[in-house]
Amino acid sequence: MIPTLALVGAPNSGKTSLFNWLTGSKFKTVNYPGATVESHVGFGLPIYGTPFRAVDTPGLYSLIAEARDEHVTVEVLSQADVSKIILVMDATQLERHLLLAVQLKELKVPFVVALTMSDMSGAQKVDVAQLQKLLGRPVVLIDGRLGGGVKDLVQKIFADFESEPENYDFKLDLMKQDVVQQTELARSIGKKVYAAPPKSLESKLDAWFLYSHFSLLFFVLTMAVLFTCVFFLAAPFMDMVDALFSWTSGLALSLIGENLFGRFVSTGVIEGTGAVLVFVPQIFILFLLLGFLEESGYLARASTLIDRPLQAVGLSGRSFVPILSGFACAVPAVMATRNLRSPRERWIAVFILPFMTCSARLPVYALLLAFLFFGEPAWKPGVTLAAIYFASLLVGGIAALILHKILKSNSNAHFMMELPPYRWPRPWLILRAAVRKTFSYVRKAGPTIFVFVLILWSLTHLPYDSSLNQSEQLASSYMGQVGHHIEPFFKPMGLDWRAGVSLGAAFVAREVFVSSMAVIFNLTDVDENSMQDRLLGQMQQATFADGTPIFTFASVTAMIVFFMLALQCLSTTGVTIREMGSWKFGLIQLVTLNVAAYVLAVATFQILS
Amino acid sequence: MIHLDALPKGDSAVISKFSGMDATIRRLREIGFYEGGRVRLKAKMFFWGPIVVEVGALSVALRRVEAHCILVTKDSEK
């Protein structure tokens, strides 16, 4: 019979990565407590020489427990076919992880300790020989990231197989000591083998960064720097990506020629790829900074500071960073919600993220506010823009509150946050994680976004007629035809089919609204600087068939309301579908937000006109 | 026996038992609270924010409603 090894250990002790090293299994190593809910079984890789089975169990701190998941572990250990237990302990968390060792020792079951190192410097401080002596069991150091020590561990396990009986009795009632005595014993062992780093520095830093009034100031400053970097630092890189793809697109068009295939390759495929890659700088910078804050230990403190106000709307301190990032761009922000532990909280956070005033809305607001405050002092549109920013946060808060009230709350957002020790971030690690997350965006969300962009391209470019100019082409496209037919749909908002088609085209990215308006008003061959003025002039003159002006205070304000609420961004929907793993969620959000935007925009127009 | 959120700042205690929703208790166990474990209340955040508790060698921030699920025996009561 093939011997079975059971892996036991506290949550986040490195159990799952050891399991992966042993079995080569494709089970994902999830990096938060409680990731393993069921037990996983795999077969040992041939490189270890001896055939064996390995069982991964849910993490636990103590064998004496009532919670459901932890019973799975006790059940696995009680099974007759488990021949040996591998107890996984994290060297940096030894004090908490030793309780299991004490309990297993008392039960007199055969186990080997795998001491994992989440942090090399921490592991070096553990007196392995002393630990081995006090526990009376073999202890092997394991490098969870590189797999060092795993072979040694397997050898140790099978080396003393002969000296021990293959079967053992696992009965919890054999324990004589109660858990309080066991904890004391674990503590005393911990003190003998591990010199805990002095906590005075941590306490001093916490006094500044967590408990004092200065902590709030520091929080605001840190978040301002984070936002500034995601918003402004990424901008030149995004422009570079944009310029590169415009150039390639132009090149492709001139090489292939002005025909349907040329248009498809240049404005469809190449610019569609650009639409995916344009978010890369923001995503990379956001995750670089988040990694830095997380590694330094500050992110946990920041979440603790801001938890209270967010609790009121069903969110927690962890949601703050995604929401803040949403003011730059919802795409990286949706990805940043990966840090949220509670599925319900993540649901609410992702749902409200598109309300935040992202950078793609700025060119649209610039145009519409310039129209509203034509010839008036510059502070007026400035103040209005600030009000729009604030209002978007308010709308997000209200929406979260509504969701918080209507969603079943059997899994309320928890806020339990380990406050790790402060330490200098390791740049290499952060860089690698940021690169990995950026690639995962390109690989996972990229294809979905690309397909959406191509669909929209087909709607705005087909059927193709080479005799038409760009403006006529857009007007006669499927989008244009539909726009003509559903003008009655835009009429209650005070808009004609041209503005309606531009709103439709803006689903590829909100700022496309401006260029689309320019195309449809036939302003293609003017330089960018004078374009806004020319477009404003055209908008002022535009009328319905009966001669009444289209763009008025009421209709433009209605459009601003529409842009504030609508989820007019297929990239966001694409990344949301991938991140939430649910088409349903993405589509419900897309429909809900746009219907709400339409209804409120209509109401705004009807009240104001 | 008192609820953890009622423990005065700076005081230590031993966890006696848990009471509350299963999901909350499970999360508390996952993060490292267990019967017999030692805790010390390090700080209470302003505006009724979370409290910071030392459990073993680790600091944990948790909401007062969650801390309320943990019943502790103060060292002086033993």
Side-chain angles (χ1 to χ4, degrees), chain A residues 2-241:
Chain A
I2 304 177
T4 301
L5 312 174
L7 280 85
V8 179
N12 245 10
S13 57
K15 226 168 0 82
T16 307
S17 44
L18 178 59
F19 178 74
N20 288 347
W21 283 114
L22 286 171
T23 61
S25 149
K26 293 278 181 264
F27 283 112
K28 229 174 109 198
T29 312
V30 190
N31 188 29
Y32 57 84
T36 326
V37 181
E38 299 162 314
S39 60
H40 298 309
V41 185
F43 285 92
L45 292 175
I47 52 160
Y48 299 116
T50 324
F52 62 89
R53 274 185 353 136
V55 191
D56 192 14
T57 61
L60 81 175
Y61 287 98
S62 165
L63 291 173
I64 308 166
E66 298 139 33
R68 189 174 53 86
D69 287 348
E70 297 182 3
H71 264 284
V72 177
T73 305
V74 174
E75 238 161 68
V76 170
L77 296 185
S78 318
Q79 276 161 19
D81 64 341
V82 174
S83 22
K84 189 151 283 187
I85 296 166
I86 301 173
L87 173 63
V88 187
M89 297 199 283
D90 183 335
T92 57
Q93 296 291 330
L94 209 54
E95 211 181 313
R96 284 194 302 167
H97 293 183
L98 267 168
L99 179 65
L100 275 177
V102 168
Q103 292 178 332
L104 287 175
K105 185 174 186 293
E106 211 190 325
L107 289 172
K108 297 194 172 62
V109 291
F111 70 98
V112 172
V113 175
L115 196 60
T116 57
M117 299 174 272
S118 64
D119 180 350
M120 298 292 278
S121 60
Q124 281 157 9
K125 290 182 197 128
V126 177
D127 185 345
V128 176
Q130 177 76 348
L131 181 64
Q132 211 154 247
K133 210 178 107 200
L134 288 170
L135 290 177
R137 306 298 319 174
V139 177
V140 184
L141 276 172
I142 303 287
D143 182 341
R145 266 177 290 160
L146 301 171
V150 180
K151 222 169 174 176
D152 188 25
L153 176 77
V154 177
Q155 273 167 4
K156 277 252 168 62
I157 290 168
F158 290 106
D160 59 13
F161 238 104
E162 285 113 44
S163 60
E164 278 173 0
E166 272 207 20
N167 290 315
Y168 60 88
D169 278 332
F170 186 86
K171 289 201 184 73
L172 283 182
D173 27 313
L174 287 177
M175 269 192 233
K176 291 184 191 74
Q177 291 181 301
D178 69 8
V179 73
V180 179
Q181 290 169 301
Q182 290 168 343
T183 306
E184 287 302 320
L185 186 58
R187 261 176 49 135
S188 71
I189 295 176
K191 277 191 185 139
K192 281 175 197 152
V193 299
Y194 178 68
K199 304 215 90 186
S200 57
L201 177 68
E202 194 186 323
S203 299
K204 260 185 213 154
L205 289 173
D206 270 344
W208 274 98
F209 295 121
L210 193 55
Y211 308 136
S212 73
H213 293 293
F214 168 79
S215 67
L216 289 176
L217 182 70
F218 186 78
F219 174 81
V220 172
L221 279 175
T222 311
M223 293 304 149
V225 170
L226 180 85
F227 178 72
T228 310
C229 289
V230 176
F231 198 96
F232 295 105
L233 195 65
F237 296 104
M238 295 175 81
D239 288 345
M240 265 158 60
V241 175

Side-chain angles (χ1 to χ4, degrees), chain A residues 318-341:
Chain A
R318 292 176 199 268
S319 305
F320 187 78
V321 167
I323 290 172
L324 183 78
S325 316
F327 279 94
C329 177
V331 173
V334 168
M335 291 181 68
T337 62
R338 285 178 188 182
N339 281 347
L340 304 183
R341 259 58 156 182

Side-chain angles (χ1 to χ4, degrees), chain A residues 499-577:
Chain A
V501 167
S502 299
L503 283 182
F507 272 86
V508 70
R510 291 178 176 94
E511 72 266 24
V512 169
F513 175 78
V514 179
S515 55
S516 186
M517 284 283 278
V519 168
I520 214 157
F521 280 100
N522 208 2
L523 293 169
T524 44
D525 296 323
V526 286
D527 70 286
E528 263 186 46
N529 294 326
S530 61
M531 193 187 77
Q532 177 158 326
D533 292 338
R534 298 265 306 271
L535 185 53
L536 285 174
Q538 292 277 358
M539 284 169 69
Q540 279 156 350
Q541 286 161 24
T543 58
F544 287 107
D546 61 5
T548 53
I550 300 168
F551 299 100
T552 59
F553 176 74
S555 68
V556 172
T557 310
M559 255 201 289
I560 291 178
V561 169
F562 187 81
F563 269 99
M564 282 179 68
L565 300 172
L567 174 43
Q568 267 180 306
C569 179
L570 292 176
S571 304
T572 304
T573 297
V575 81
T576 299
I577 287 170

Side-chain angles (χ1 to χ4, degrees), chain A residues 11 61 66 69 96 99 179 183 187 199 210-211 304 307-308 311 315-316 413-419, chain B residues 24 26 28-32 34-36 38 43 45-48 50 52 57-63 66:
Chain A
Y61 287 98
E66 298 139 33
D69 287 348
R96 284 194 302 167
L99 179 65
V179 73
T183 306
R187 261 176 49 135
K199 304 215 90 186
L210 193 55
Y211 308 136
T304 306
D307 179 64
R308 186 64 193 91
Q311 189 188 351
L315 299 171
S316 81
H414 289 298
F415 185 74
M416 296 173 204
M417 189 103 196
E418 290 188 16
L419 302 179
Chain B
T24 311
R26 190 157 62 240
L28 286 167
R29 284 185 197 281
E30 278 166 8
I31 207 158
Y34 50 83
E35 288 94 339
R38 291 190 66 81
M45 300 294 295
F46 23 70
F47 309 129
W48 276 88
V52 180
L58 192 91
S59 296
V60 176
L62 69 164
R63 287 181 182 161
E66 289 148 3

